[in-house]
Amino acid sequence: MQEKRKIRILLAKPGLDGHDRGIKVVARALRDAGMEVIYSGLHQTPEQIVNTALQEGVDGIGLSILSGAHNTIFPKMMALLKEKGLSDLLVFGGGTIPPKDRERLKTMGVGEIFTSGTDTRDIVNYIKGVLEKV
Amino acid sequence: MAFGKRSKRQDLDLQSSPMAFKNLSGFVIDPVYGTENIAQLDVERDLGGPGEFPFTRGIHKTMYRGRLWTIRQLGSLGSSGEANMRIRNLLAMGATGVSICLDMPTIMGRDSDDPLCEGEVGSSGGVAIDSIADVRQLMDGIDLDQVSINWVCNAQSCVILAFFVAVAEERGISADKLAGTLQNDILKEYQAQKSYYFPPRSSMRLTVDTIKYCCRHMPRFNPISISGYHLASAGANPIQELAFTLANGFTYVEETIKAGVDVDQFAPRLSFFFKVHNDFFENIAKFRAARRIWARAMKEKYRAKDDRSWLFRVHTQTAGSSLTAQQPENNIIRTTLQALSAVLAGTQSLHTNAFDEAHSIPSARSEKLALRTQQIIAHESGVIHTVDPLGGSYYLESLTNKMEEESYRYFEKIEQLGGVLKGIEKGFFQREIADSAYQYQKDIENKRRIIVGLNEYREDGEEPIEMRETDPTFETRKIAELKAFKSQRNQQRVSARIEQIREVARGDGDFMPLFIEAVKDGLTLGEIIGAMRDVFGEYREEAIF
Amino acid sequence: MKSKKGLFNPDSIQEIRNETKRWEKEVYPREKERLEVFETLSGIPIEAIYTPEDTAKMDYLRDLGFPGEEPFIRGVHPTMYRGRTWTQRQLAGYGPPEETNKRYKFLLKQGANGINGVFDYPTLRGYDSTDPEAYADAGRGGVAIDTIEDMRILLDGIPIDQVSSSMVTCQPIGNISVQSMYFANAEAHSIPFNKLTGTSQNDFLMETVVAIAPEVLPPKASFKLSCDAIEYCTKYVPRWNPVSFAGYNYREAGCTAIQEVAFVIANAIACSEELIRRGLDVDRFASRLSFFFSGHNDFFEEIAKYRAARRTWYRVMRERFGAKDPRSLALRFHVQTAGVALTAQQPLNNIARAAYHALSAVLGGAQSVHIDAYDEALCTPTELSSLTALRTQQVLQLETRVTHTIDPLGGSYFVESLTNQLEEKIVALLNEIEGMGGIVRAVEKGWIHKAISSEAYEYQKAIESGEMPIVGVNCYRIEDEKLPIELFQVPETLEIQRAKLERIKKERSSTNVQKASDAILRCCEKDGNLMEVVVEGVKAYVTEGEVTKVLKRYYGIWNPPLF
C-alpha cells in the first residue's frame, strides 16, 4: 500500500497588516498535527499567494486577515483560483471577521472562517475532515 | 456562607485543571511569602522614596496625589473628519489625552491610492493619512498647545511628525509648544509587530533623526515610546516583555549617543509602553522592576547625570489579547482588573480597552464604558491616596526582585548575540516570542490556563453584540480627495523635493527639517517613504514559526 | 512562639525614619497635591508614602505569622485559595418559589457552588404574603415563603445534602420560621441534619436597627430568638452556621468600615455570653459563628478591614472567652460587593466597580463572595446581569492569579499600617459599647441607630458636595441618559401565594395547628428554646405569619427610634 501523503497547507498573510501571532501559532499546530506547512510570510498579494499554491501543489490555503480587508481579499483570491483552475482547493481563513461577513464569504466558496478564541485542534480536525474525506 | 462542605463541582474544577502555581512568565509561586523572602532587600538601595533613585516606588514624589495619570483613550476612525469628531468627543467626556491610530496603508507608508492598499483604506479603525490636508482636518478645533497627543506610528513617524509640526506652524503654534508622543519604536516592529519597510539600520537612522530633532526643537514632546505592548501582543510573556523592551531602550540610547547627542539631552524624553495582562501581581512587579533597572543602567552604565534621564516613564494599555469574543461583557471585568493593576504599578498614562474589541472596532458605548472604568478607579476606589500602596508586600517585593534578576539573564544572552540589531537579524526575538505564543495557546487548549467563557464556562448560541461597520464607500472617496489634493500642487517642487530626499538618504544628513518643508509643498506620505525606499531598499524577514 | 524579631532591624528603621523625615520636610513640599486631605472612607488619614518605619513596632511572628495559625491575619486556612478557592455564592430570589427554583438551577449549572436565598419583605418580617400589612411587597426583593410547602418547591431538585445553602433570613422573627421550614423539609426528605450545610443570617440588629420598620419585636426578644436558633443548631445541626452577623447591611445603612467590624464583633460577643450563660462551652458554638461584610469602594481599607477583623476576633476569643479550638479563633466571612456603591446611572459602570470590590475581598481572604449584578440599582437582576456577576468571580479565580499565593499584600507598609490602625479603632469602639452595657443595651438606647444614621448623612453630604466623586452621579454625568439595558420584571407572586395558602389552610388539620400555636406560646412563657417548637409547628403547616402573631402577642412590639 502506498504511504499516505502528508496534507500540504499554504498559510498566507495577505494585505499590509503584520500581526502574525495567530498565523504562526496555527502553523505550528498544523505541523504538530502531521501536516506540511508552507508559511508565506508577510504582505503577500493574492497573485503571489495563488502562484505559491500552484508551485507547491498544496491541498489547501489558509489566509489570516485581521485588518478588515477580508471583503476585498477573499473575493479576489477566489476569482484568481478559478481563473487558474484551482477552484477545488480548500480555502479557509482566520482573523477579526464579523459573523455577517463570515456567512457571506462562505457562500463565495470559502470553507470555514476561524475567529479569535478558536481551539487549534478544531482547525486541525476541520482540515483533516475535509481533505481526508476526498 | 457554608464553610464546612465543599461542593463536588468545585473539587472537579480544580482537579481537572492541572494548573501549576506559576505566573505568566513561568515562575513558580510559593504558598506564602514572609520576611525571609526579602531578607536581601535593602530599602534605601532597592526601593528609595517616590521620586527618588532607583524609583521602584514611583517616578514622581507625589504621584497620583499630585496629579492623576493621563486617561488616554484611542480616538481615530477612518476619515480624518470622523476621527476629529471622536477626539473632540473624548476630550469633552474628560479624557486628558488621545491616541491616534493609523490605518494599514498609512502604517505601511503608502498612500490611499496605492494599488497594494485596495480594501484596506480606513481599516482597523485607523485614520487614513496621506497628506498635510488630512492632518489639518484631523487637528481642526483641537488646542494643539493644550492637549497631549499620542501618535501610534512607527516606521513612518518622521513623516507624521513633519505633518504635525507643519500644521501647527500654519496655525501659528511653534513646535516647542506641542506635547505628545510618537511611538516610533522600530525595533519592536522587526521583533513583533512587523510593520517595517527598510532594513533595520536605515530605520534606526530615521528614529535617531526624530529623537535628535525633538531634543532640539520640541522639549514637551516624547520622540519615542519604546513598546513592550506589541511584544506581549505577539506572544512575549511578561519577563520577555520587560527584558526585550529595556534592551531595545538601551539600544536607542547607544545609537543616539553614537549620533553625537549627549545622553542627558535626549534620555529625559524617552518613554515606554507596557501591557497589563491577566496576572495581577506580575503586572505590578514588572513596572517596579523596570523602573529600577532603567534607573540603575542610565545612571551607572550610561553615566546620565540629570535625574530625569533615570526615569522610566510609561504608558499602559490593558491587554487586547486577553479579551474574548465569547461573552463580551466579561471583558469589562478583565479590563477593570488590568487597569487597576496598572494604577497600582504607577503608570503615567493608561488606555483601557473596550469590551467588544475582540469583535470589531469599539462602538461609542463600549468606548465610553472603557473611559468610565478609569474614572471609577481614579475617583471611587481610593487606591490613589498613597504612593506605591503595595510597597513592602513580601510577595510583590520578592517578585520584583525575581523579575529584575531574570531580565539581567536575558540582557547577557542578547549581549552574547552581539546586541539587539544582531539579535533581530538572527531571528532570536522572533523565535523567543513565537515559542511563548505557542506555549500560551497550548496552555489554553489543555486547560493549564483557564479563560472564562473560552475554555471553561462556555455558552452556546450566544447573541452577537452590536458592531460598528466600516463605511464601504470611504476608500473611493479618500482616493478622490487625494487626487484632488495632488492636482493642486506645484509638480516641479514636488519632484525636486523627492530628489532632495534621495540625496539626504544617500548621505548622512538630517531628514526632519527637509520633511517639514516637503510636506508643506504637498508631498504625500507615500512619496516621501517611496523616495527613501529607492535608496534604502526593502527588508524581508525570513518567516519563522 | 513569641519572638522578638520584628520586620526589620532597629538600625535600619532609625535610618529610614531619618530619611523619611528629610524627604517629607525637604523634598515633598516642593510639589503640589491635588486634594487637601487624603483619607479612607472611614476617615483615617492617608500618608503620601509608607515605609518600614510605619510597621516598625510589628513583631512578625506575633502580629502576622502564617496562614491557618494565630493570629490568623494572613488567612484562616493553611492553604487558602491554593487548596480551594472561595465559594462563589450568588444571591438569587424573587417572586414565588417556583420561579426562584429555576434561577437556582440555572446558576448551579453555570458553575456556582452554593445557593444563596434572599427573601421578600413579608417573609423577612414574619408576615404571610396575603397579610394586609405586607401583600404589596409579595415577591419583591426576594422569594416569598409562607409555609413548608413553599420551602419544598424552592428546593425541589436541589441536592441540599451536597450543596450548601445560605439563607439570607435577616431578621430573627423571619428566620425562626424559615429556618424551621428548611430543617423540617430536610427531615421530610429523610436527609439527616448532620448532612446539612449552610448559613442563616439571623441577626437581631437587622430587625431592630437596619431595617427600620415600626412594630418589630423588642431588642431583647429579637436577640433571644437569634440565640435560640444558634443553640438549636449547635445541638442538632452541627454543620450549620446559625448566624451571620450582617455587617454588610449595617454598612449599606450607612456606617463606616470601623463601625461595621466593631458592631458585628460586639454582637457576636453578646451572643457568646448568652450561650455560655445557657451552659454551652465556647468551643462548641464559636466555630459556627460567621460574619458577613460589605466590599465597598475604598480598595485598601476594605482589605485592611478583613485582616483587622480576623486579628481582633482572634484576640477576643482567645483573651476574653479563652477559646482553644483554632476554628473558634479564626473569623470566617462572606462578602457581598456593596450595593450602595452602585449607581442607577450608566449601569454598566457597575461591572467595573463590582470587579474590584470583589478583588479586595479576595485579597482580604474571604471564604465566600457574592458579586452584585450591574442592574441592581434598577431592578432584580436579569439572567444576563446575574451571569456577568458570576463570571466576575470566575475571572478573578481563574485568570488573575491573585489566588496563587496567600495574603499577597502581607508586608505592604501601607496595608499593614492601615490594618493596625483599623484594629485600634475597632477595639476602641468595642470598649465604648462595652461601657454602655453591651450591644443589646446600645440598641435599646438608640445609640447604634444614631451612630449609623449620622455616618449615612455624612456620606450623602460628601456625595452631594462633590467631595466624594461618584462617576456618572456627581461627575461625568450624561443628561437624558437612555437606559441601555433591559430591566427585569418580577413575576406575578401574590395570587400564586394566595391560592397555595388558601388550599393549605383548607387541607391542614386545624386541631394540629391550634396545638402547635399553643405550644409556641407555652414555650415563650417558660422561656424555652423557641426553635424546637417552631420546627414542629411548621410541620403541621402553621404559616410564618401565624408564628409571628403568637410571638408578638407574648413579647409585644417595639418602635425603633427614627433619626
Side-chain angles (χ1 to χ4, degrees), chain C residues 3 66 80 123 162 171 180 209 222 263 338 385 432 437 497 557:
Chain C
S3 112
F66 296 94
M80 285 301 289
T123 307
Q162 286 165 39
Q171 313 186 9
S180 296
V209 178
S222 182
F263 295 168
S385 73
E432 199 179 340
Q497 293 302 100
I557 51 168

Side-chain angles (χ1 to χ4, degrees), chain C residues 308-329:
Chain C
R310 274 198 296 271
R311 199 159 57 198
T312 310
W313 178 247
Y314 158 75
R315 287 179 176 156
V316 165
M317 286 319 277
R318 171 65 101 204
E319 287 157 24
R320 177 169 183 150
F321 293 106
K324 286 171 203 72
D325 185 342
R327 288 176 309 156
S328 310
L329 302 168

Side-chain angles (χ1 to χ4, degrees), chain B residues 3 65 327 334 380 393, chain C residues 34 353 367 391 399 408:
Chain B
F3 304 105
R65 285 168 74 105
Q327 307 175 33
R334 298 190 175 96
E380 299 183 21
S393 149
Chain C
R34 271 183 312 113
R353 293 190 178 96
Q367 276 58 59
R391 292 290 179 255
E399 298 185 16

Side-chain angles (χ1 to χ4, degrees), chain C residues 107-157:
Chain C
L107 287 170
L108 287 170
K109 190 170 150 251
Q110 293 299 330
N113 40 32
I115 61 168
N116 206 358
V118 288
F119 301 91
D120 69 357
Y121 299 107
T123 307
L124 295 180
R125 297 190 47 209
Y127 295 106
D128 286 342
S129 300
T130 50
D131 193 294
E133 293 280 327
Y135 71 91
D137 282 324
R140 300 196 181 277
V143 57
I145 300 289
D146 296 322
T147 66
I148 189 171
E149 171 74 1
D150 292 325
M151 189 58 80
R152 188 191 62 72
I153 296 167
L154 180 71
L155 300 174
D156 182 51

Side-chain angles (χ1 to χ4, degrees), chain C residues 7-77:
Chain C
L7 302 187
F8 292 92
N9 78 56
D11 298 343
S12 68
I13 292 289
Q14 189 51 46
E15 201 185 322
I16 290 164
R17 187 167 294 146
N18 297 340
E19 278 292 301
T20 309
K21 277 214 186 92
R22 175 195 61 75
W23 184 83
E24 279 173 353
K25 252 174 77 186
E26 293 168 22
V27 182
Y28 199 75
R30 280 191 253 137
E31 312 264 330
K32 256 182 39 201
E33 291 196 331
R34 271 183 312 113
L35 303 176
E36 274 173 33
V37 270
F38 290 90
E39 52 182 28
T40 67
L41 263 183
S42 43
I44 297 175
I46 300 179
E47 304 292 331
I49 187 79
Y50 290 79
T51 68
E53 188 205 339
D54 296 286
T55 53
K57 292 208 183 80
M58 291 179 80
D59 178 316
Y60 184 84
L61 295 178
R62 184 195 62 201
D63 299 324
L64 293 179
F66 296 94
E69 291 188 355
E70 310 173 2
F72 296 98
I73 190 165
R74 304 205 71 181
V76 296
H77 296 302

